[in-house]
Amino acid sequence: MAAVEVEDLTRTYTTGASKFRFRRNGRTDRQAVKGVSFDIGEGELFGLLGPNGAGKSTTIKILSTLLLPTSGRATVMGYDVVSRPTEIRRRIGYVAGGDKGLYERLSARDNLRYFAELHGITGRTQRLRLAQLLETVDLADRADDRVEGFSRGMRQRLHIARGLLNEPSVLFLDEPTIGLDPEASRDLRSTIGTLTGQGTTVLLTTHYMYEADELCDRIAVIAQGRLVALDTPGALKKGVGDRTVATVEVRDASAAVLDDVRALPGVLDLTVTSTPTSHVLEVQCEDTASLIPDLLRILGPGLITRVDTREPTLEDAYVALVAQPAATAGASL
Amino acid sequence: MTRNVTRARTLYLRTLLVCGVFQLRMLLQYKFYVIAVFVQPLAFALIQFVMVGHRDDADALANVAVQAGLMGMWTSTLFGSGGGLSRERRFGTLEPVVVAPTPLAVNILAISLATALMGVISMGVTLLLGGLVFDTPMMPERPGVFAAALAVAVLANACLGFLMANAFILYRNSLVLTNLLEYPVWVLAGLMVPAAFLPQWCRPLSEGLSMTWAGRALGHAMSGTGEPGREILWCAVTGLVCLAVALVFLRTVHDAVRRRATLNLI
């Protein structure tokens, strides 16, 4: 049995609706999820990637029973998200990223205790689990401090501890490492790896490609509410195997020059990262060998400080997938 | 099967009490709220003591203290329930609470119970004012009945707060209701003027409010007259009706917020 099954799922948000049914002025329907289907096996670590507003969080919220789907079907551990929410809630953990979601005027321990009670975890089991989780997320020494004084990273770690309170069969992690420092992120990735090793199914959304690449068994890429790719990280990278990436650092590059680079034959995508003293151009192309002389000519050899080439990463694959029109991208499934 | 149901109910009751204590602790940290719970009934009691003080009627003065205390209890429940749910929205805690397997009702009821319990402070303040400032005996003639009536009043108030909390979950702007509902309930429950002075058409509304019966029961327990037992019973019945309606309504509200996606909107 798959831990999570999603079949032709759609979700439409209605905004600005008139309170009076006979007046429909200003009512806007926005389809956030459009016919998404996938399965997640037990113990699998499944990544859901996509730009902001792609429908990742909506999908997670439907699976964690916070939202109802508009159409389609979804089950978690065999239970339907519409008709059996309580059964699902007993078996899942939900961790949303960000500052919110905690009782500011309670301590970290009391926050966990509150939610432990809501999960029916009491007595000695509760005490032991709280101590263990506070240790796991490195908050044991701040356990009795009020949450209102916590940094974003500490709050995020507390979110994670709360998500693990009921030892869930399926853990939904919605951008869990947002706001964490590199060391804490690495520790969390290690914790997630341990959990899947113990048989926990994890559905992870993230904007950090290296994180998805390192952790996920399979990745689904969502763009504009549609699933545009679903495969292992390796296979997704191979999907852009006909590309290479040239990285060029220049001291100066005007908008007109960048347009000229984009217009070069064989250039598939260009991203520019600017610092006060330089610009780093990442040019995805079919063949760097034939492109580099043209790049040198356009950018001006005197302004270039570094040139190198590399094989495509998951980020390159992701950029290629979300950049192409959703209608044609379906073919990559 | 029956054993499982009993076990689940016991667990929910425990959760209700523990979460209620946590909610009470959080409420006590909101200094302005605590001040309002102290000061408002004090002001009302003071005005009414001055108005009826010349009558030299100890029972009337004791009744004033009780009614003003109940006014404070209603204000605490009304603003506490609404404010409590607004805070849950603002903190983003409604989502994790909904995702927990314990029914949402238990958490909402815990908030309502905590706010109603704060109302006991109001009652204490007004009784102290009467005893210390106006030199009126504020010891109930029937202390046991008074304690029972107060306990039932708190529970019934919590049920009424729970019923209103449904609106606070469904409509994020429903906090404005709190301002609208404060005075009408005071008037209908006979806390500002005796319910007998109300127009005939208001009477069924008045008698349907647990606050009305709580006021009568507490007043009679103070003076040692009337039938407070019957009034406590009616207070409990009207409270239980609110609870039943709220539980049925909450199912609809729960589905509605999942459909509308308004749970985390501020």
Side-chain angles (χ1 to χ4, degrees):
Chain A
M1 180 186 73
V4 176
E5 289 178 275
V6 176
E7 201 180 306
D8 205 17
L9 198 71
T10 67
R11 168 72 207 198
T12 303
Y13 291 110
T14 303
T15 52
S18 167
K19 297 285 181 291
F20 304 100
R21 286 189 180 273
F22 57 87
R23 282 181 57 202
R24 293 176 67 86
N25 298 351
R27 178 180 162 141
T28 315
D29 285 345
R30 190 179 67 81
Q31 209 174 1
V33 178
K34 303 168 183 171
V36 167
S37 302
F38 60 83
D39 290 347
I40 307 176
E42 283 192 43
E44 186 176 6
L45 208 163
F46 189 89
L48 207 52
L49 304 185
N52 291 330
K56 307 180 300 291
S57 293
T58 299
T59 306
I60 276 201
K61 284 186 178 184
I62 290 171
L63 293 173
S64 55
T65 74
L66 281 167
L67 290 179
L68 288 172
T70 306
S71 67
R73 187 175 154 273
T75 64
V76 178
M77 299 306 288
Y79 295 104
D80 187 84
V81 293
V82 177
S83 57
R84 305 291 295 277
T86 309
E87 295 300 332
I88 292 174
R89 288 168 187 172
R90 287 200 181 105
R91 291 163 176 82
I92 63 165
Y94 170 68
V95 177
D99 287 342
K100 292 169 71 179
L102 297 163
Y103 289 109
E104 298 281 320
R105 300 202 177 193
L106 291 182
S107 67
R109 192 190 307 280
D110 284 345
N111 263 281
L112 290 183
R113 214 186 137 200
Y114 194 98
F115 285 97
E117 293 288 339
L118 291 178
H119 279 282
I121 303 160
T122 57
R124 191 164 177 269
T125 312
Q126 186 190 89
R127 279 195 303 280
L128 289 175
R129 199 165 300 166
L130 259 57
Q132 181 207 336
L133 284 171
L134 286 164
E135 201 66 52
T136 304
V137 297
D138 200 20
L139 283 174
D141 57 337
R142 300 288 302 272
D144 298 310
D145 291 355
R146 273 198 207 173
V147 168
E148 63 188 359
F150 279 17
S151 68
R152 190 167 188 181
M154 290 164 77
R155 286 162 189 263
Q156 193 56 24
R157 291 190 331 247
L158 189 55
H159 274 292
I160 289 154
R162 185 180 60 197
L164 297 173
L165 268 172
N166 59 331
E167 297 179 328
S169 303
V170 182
L171 183 61
F172 296 107
L173 299 170
D174 196 359
E175 299 180 27
T177 50
I178 203 162
L180 293 187
D181 59 48
E183 196 185 350
S185 299
R186 196 183 55 205
D187 289 347
L188 176 63
R189 286 199 293 276
S190 158
T191 306
I192 294 170
T194 310
L195 286 169
T196 48
Q198 291 165 350
T200 307
T201 307
V202 178
L203 174 54
L204 166 83
T205 75
T206 180
H207 284 297
Y208 304 128
M209 296 301 142
Y210 61 90
E211 192 169 273
D213 198 3
E214 181 189 323
L215 287 172
C216 297
D217 298 317
R218 284 189 305 149
I219 289 171
V221 180
I222 297 187
Q224 295 168 34
R226 290 185 200 284
L227 196 64
V228 294
L230 171 56
D231 218 323
T232 61
L236 287 176
K237 283 185 271 188
K238 274 187 194 153
V240 287
D242 55 339
R243 299 179 176 206
T244 50
V245 181
T247 306
V248 185
E249 189 172 345
V250 288
R251 281 197 289 272
D252 190 25
S254 66
V257 166
L258 294 177
D259 285 342
D260 288 345
V261 171
R262 276 193 194 93
L264 281 172
V267 171
L268 300 166
D269 193 59
L270 169 69
T271 54
V272 182
T273 312
S274 296
T275 67
T277 53
S278 68
H279 304 278
V280 178
L281 279 59
E282 292 223 315
V283 189
Q284 288 195 27
C285 56
E286 286 159 1
D287 177 22
T288 46
S290 61
L291 185 75
I292 284 177
D294 289 336
L295 280 176
L296 294 174
R297 180 176 51 78
I298 292 172
L299 295 168
L303 294 174
I304 294 174
T305 53
R306 178 171 63 97
V307 178
D308 57 45
T309 62
R310 61 172 171 79
E311 291 304 303
T313 61
L314 184 62
E315 186 165 336
D316 300 319
Y318 168 82
V319 169
L321 285 164
V322 299
Q324 61 185 295
T328 57
S332 69
L333 279 172
Chain B
M1 183 72 178
T2 315
R3 185 180 288 181
N4 281 347
V5 171
T6 311
R7 197 168 159 265
R9 281 184 185 155
T10 312
L11 198 61
Y12 291 159
L13 190 62
R14 180 200 146 89
T15 308
L16 173 68
L17 294 175
V18 175
C19 291
V21 169
F22 275 118
Q23 291 289 348
L24 194 60
R25 274 177 50 192
M26 282 191 273
L27 278 176
L28 287 168
Q29 288 167 25
Y30 290 94
K31 300 287 183 287
F32 282 109
Y33 176 74
V34 176
I35 289 168
V37 169
F38 266 102
V39 172
Q40 199 183 32
L42 207 62
F44 283 116
L46 201 59
I47 293 166
Q48 295 201 26
F49 275 133
V50 171
M51 284 167 69
V52 301
H54 67 278
R55 282 161 52 182
D56 199 22
D57 179 349
D59 282 352
L61 284 170
N63 210 36
V64 160
V66 166
Q67 310 297 350
L70 278 175
M71 285 163 79
M73 188 184 286
W74 171 238
T75 301
S76 165
T77 309
L78 186 63
F79 284 89
S81 293
L85 280 162
S86 293
R87 265 196 309 281
E88 298 263 348
R89 266 185 204 287
R90 206 171 56 242
F91 291 161
T93 42
L94 264 182
E95 279 193 351
V97 163
V98 169
V99 166
T102 297
L104 180 61
V106 175
N107 196 62
I108 307 298
L109 202 50
I111 295 174
S112 304
L113 189 60
T115 57
L117 266 172
M118 290 289 285
V120 176
I121 297 175
S122 301
M123 186 65 73
V125 165
T126 54
L127 291 179
L128 272 177
L129 179 78
L132 298 178
V133 180
F134 291 89
D135 202 22
T136 308
M138 285 292 165
M139 192 61 203
E141 288 291 326
R142 301 178 197 172
V145 177
F146 185 86
L150 188 59
V152 173
V154 167
L155 292 173
N157 239 306
C159 293
L160 191 52
F162 176 45
L163 178 60
M164 289 182 318
N166 283 290
F168 297 132
I169 298 169
L170 195 55
Y171 302 107
R172 58 192 150 135
N173 295 323
S174 57
L175 207 58
V176 292
L177 281 177
T178 53
N179 295 323
L180 288 175
L181 286 173
E182 191 178 30
Y183 278 82
V185 170
W186 283 349
V187 173
L188 282 174
L191 302 179
M192 293 190 90
V193 288
F197 292 175
L198 296 175
Q200 198 63 39
W201 62 267
C202 282
R203 304 276 170 84
L205 284 174
S206 175
E207 308 241 315
L209 280 174
S210 49
M211 293 290 285
T212 308
W213 298 104
R216 289 176 191 170
L218 287 165
H220 286 146
M222 282 296 282
S223 62
T225 59
E227 293 178 64
R230 186 177 142 271
E231 288 152 354
I232 291 171
L233 186 67
W234 275 113
C235 181
V237 168
T238 46
L240 284 172
V241 169
C242 283
L243 180 67
V245 174
L247 285 171
V248 172
F249 192 36
L250 189 60
R251 282 191 186 182
T252 313
V253 168
H254 178 251
D255 287 346
V257 291
R258 288 178 74 200
R259 198 171 49 249
R260 293 183 188 181
T262 53
L263 203 57
N264 227 15
L265 297 180
I266 299 172

